[in-house]
């Protein structure tokens, strides 16, 4: 059964979690910027800003336009029905199965002398791609 309204307690939990995540990410990002190698802190702060902005947009859409949410938004915010939850669970299972060989491939490439930064970036992009494709395929088939 779909739940299209959040309770006051759920909204408060979201806001507290968002504020804690913001504080932790800013602290870690600024520490990395000061003490980390290269421009690691700047990249971390930029990535955190994009992630928090996406989270805020999804939160706003859940509160203001619950009828126009996508399957992913309903599943990720736990406002969807059983089908939405099942699609997300199966897609995350596929991602979990693919994570080990992808990580092993990145580790082997690093061992052979490939750039660590590039391998980790490609690993992240590959995992995002696998998760996206798995979610789309599973959503389409069910």
């Amino acid at each position: 059964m779909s739940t299209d309204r959040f309770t006051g307690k759920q909204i408060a939990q979201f806001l507290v979690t968002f504020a804690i995540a913001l504080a932790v990410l800013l602290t870690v990002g600024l520490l990395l910027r000061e003490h980390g190698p290269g421009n690691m802190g700047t990249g971390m702060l930029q990535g955190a800003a994009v992630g928090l902005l996406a989270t805020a947009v999804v939160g706003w859409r859940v509160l203001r336009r619950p009828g126009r949410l996508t399957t992913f938004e309903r599943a990720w915010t736990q406002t969807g029905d059983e089908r939405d939850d099942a699609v997300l669970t199966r897609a995350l299972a596929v991602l979990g199965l693919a994570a080990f060989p992808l990580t092993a491939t990145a580790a082997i490439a690093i061992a052979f002398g490939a750039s660590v930064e590039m391998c980790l970036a490609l690993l992240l992009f590959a995992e995002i791609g696998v998760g996206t494709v798995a979610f789309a395929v599973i959503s389409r088939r069910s």
Side-chain angles (χ1 to χ4, degrees):
M1 178 168 92
S2 181
T3 54
D4 60 354
R5 294 282 177 220
F6 279 143
T7 64
K9 183 178 178 181
Q10 288 174 319
I11 293 172
Q13 286 174 342
F14 172 76
L15 291 176
V16 167
T17 303
F18 191 81
I20 290 171
L22 179 63
V24 168
L25 290 172
L26 278 174
T27 302
V28 171
L30 291 175
L31 284 171
L32 279 174
R33 191 166 181 190
E34 184 68 26
H35 302 291
N39 61 356
M40 181 184 269
T42 304
M44 194 266 186
L45 288 171
Q46 290 172 348
V50 170
L52 288 175
L53 181 65
T55 301
V57 167
V58 169
W60 177 79
R61 283 179 47 90
V62 166
L63 291 175
R64 298 291 180 215
R65 302 182 186 272
R68 298 183 62 192
L69 295 177
T70 64
T71 302
F72 177 76
E73 290 169 329
R74 286 191 307 268
W76 197 257
T77 57
Q78 298 178 353
T79 58
D81 55 10
E82 294 85 10
R83 179 201 173 270
D84 298 329
D85 293 339
V87 168
L88 181 63
T89 301
R90 290 175 61 197
L92 290 175
V94 169
L95 177 59
L97 289 172
F100 181 74
L102 288 172
T103 305
T105 303
I108 291 168
I110 291 169
F112 281 134
S115 168
V116 174
E117 296 86 2
M118 184 57 66
C119 285
L120 292 179
L122 290 174
L123 172 64
L124 178 63
F125 295 144
E127 288 176 345
I128 290 171
V130 166
T132 302
V133 169
F135 190 89
V137 168
I138 293 168
S139 180
R140 184 84 169 150
R141 288 185 179 177
S142 62

